[in-house]
Amino acid sequence: MKIRVELDGRDFIEVECEGEEPSRPGPIKNVSILGCAEFMDMMQKMRKAFGPDIAKWPLPQAEDHSSLLLKEMILRLRGEWVFPYGEDEVCHCRNISTHTIDQAVIAGAHTPEVVTRQTSASTACGTCRPEVQKIIDYRLGRKSA
Ligand code: FES
């Protein structure tokens, strides 16, 4: 199976694994990485410090897009990625997809207000706002209220 994490049109990590179940990806067969200089530099430093098996790398603590993508990949390789919202669309009033919200968070929108400004989610009834907050909290490793 292949696991791909990305900031659309900018950076990605794609890992091919021997397993077929997302919860048990198994040993790594191949890794492809492409992106901005900051992203490539971080990946190179991590490989140098911790070896080629990304699943064994420590989880990055920083909140920049490179670290958020790497953190997702490490958790996916360990079978520990549990995204906090299961529907394709978060904001039904504005028809804003979960993917759009998540990409905004990866790119640096770390409060509901900024996500709203960038995506127009939560600009009508507002009932989607707690879900937006949950996605932000999960990505940044915070506990949701
Ligand atoms: S569901 Fe998002 S504003 Fe109503």
Side-chain angles (χ1 to χ4, degrees):
M1 71 176 293
K2 282 185 180 171
I3 303 172
R4 186 180 174 104
V5 299
E6 63 189 317
L7 181 53
D8 291 347
R10 190 167 161 182
D11 308 294
F12 73 82
I13 313 168
E14 188 173 272
V15 177
E16 191 179 355
C17 298
E18 288 178 11
E20 290 301 324
E21 289 178 43
S23 61
R24 288 201 289 183
I28 294 171
K29 285 174 22 184
N30 192 36
V31 178
S32 303
I33 302 164
L34 193 63
C36 67
E38 174 198 329
F39 180 67
M40 298 301 283
D41 187 48
M42 180 196 70
M43 293 301 290
Q44 203 170 20
K45 283 181 183 159
M46 293 294 282
R47 187 185 294 260
K48 202 171 173 184
F50 302 107
D53 189 349
I54 296 175
K56 293 183 177 150
W57 292 1
L59 286 179
Q61 295 301 314
E63 298 178 349
D64 59 272
H65 75 279
S66 303
S67 300
L68 292 178
L69 289 177
L70 176 58
K71 182 177 162 189
E72 179 181 348
M73 178 54 80
I74 293 170
L75 289 172
R76 285 187 183 278
L77 289 170
R78 294 176 182 174
E80 296 171 5
W81 179 253
V82 186
F83 197 72
Y85 189 74
E87 306 292 322
D88 288 342
E89 187 178 271
V90 173
C91 180
H92 306 302
C93 294
R94 301 292 185 213
N95 301 114
I96 308 300
S97 71
T98 305
H99 181 75
T100 297
I101 303 290
D102 190 43
Q103 288 284 298
V105 176
I106 294 170
H110 293 172
T111 65
E113 293 76 16
V114 178
V115 171
T116 295
R117 267 202 307 277
Q118 291 185 1
T119 68
S120 80
S122 313
T123 53
C125 75
T127 56
C128 60
R129 194 180 166 101
E131 303 306 333
V132 170
Q133 183 71 61
K134 276 188 207 166
I135 293 170
I136 294 168
D137 291 345
Y138 186 71
R139 276 282 176 197
L140 302 184
R142 299 177 190 152
K143 296 241 185 279
S144 285

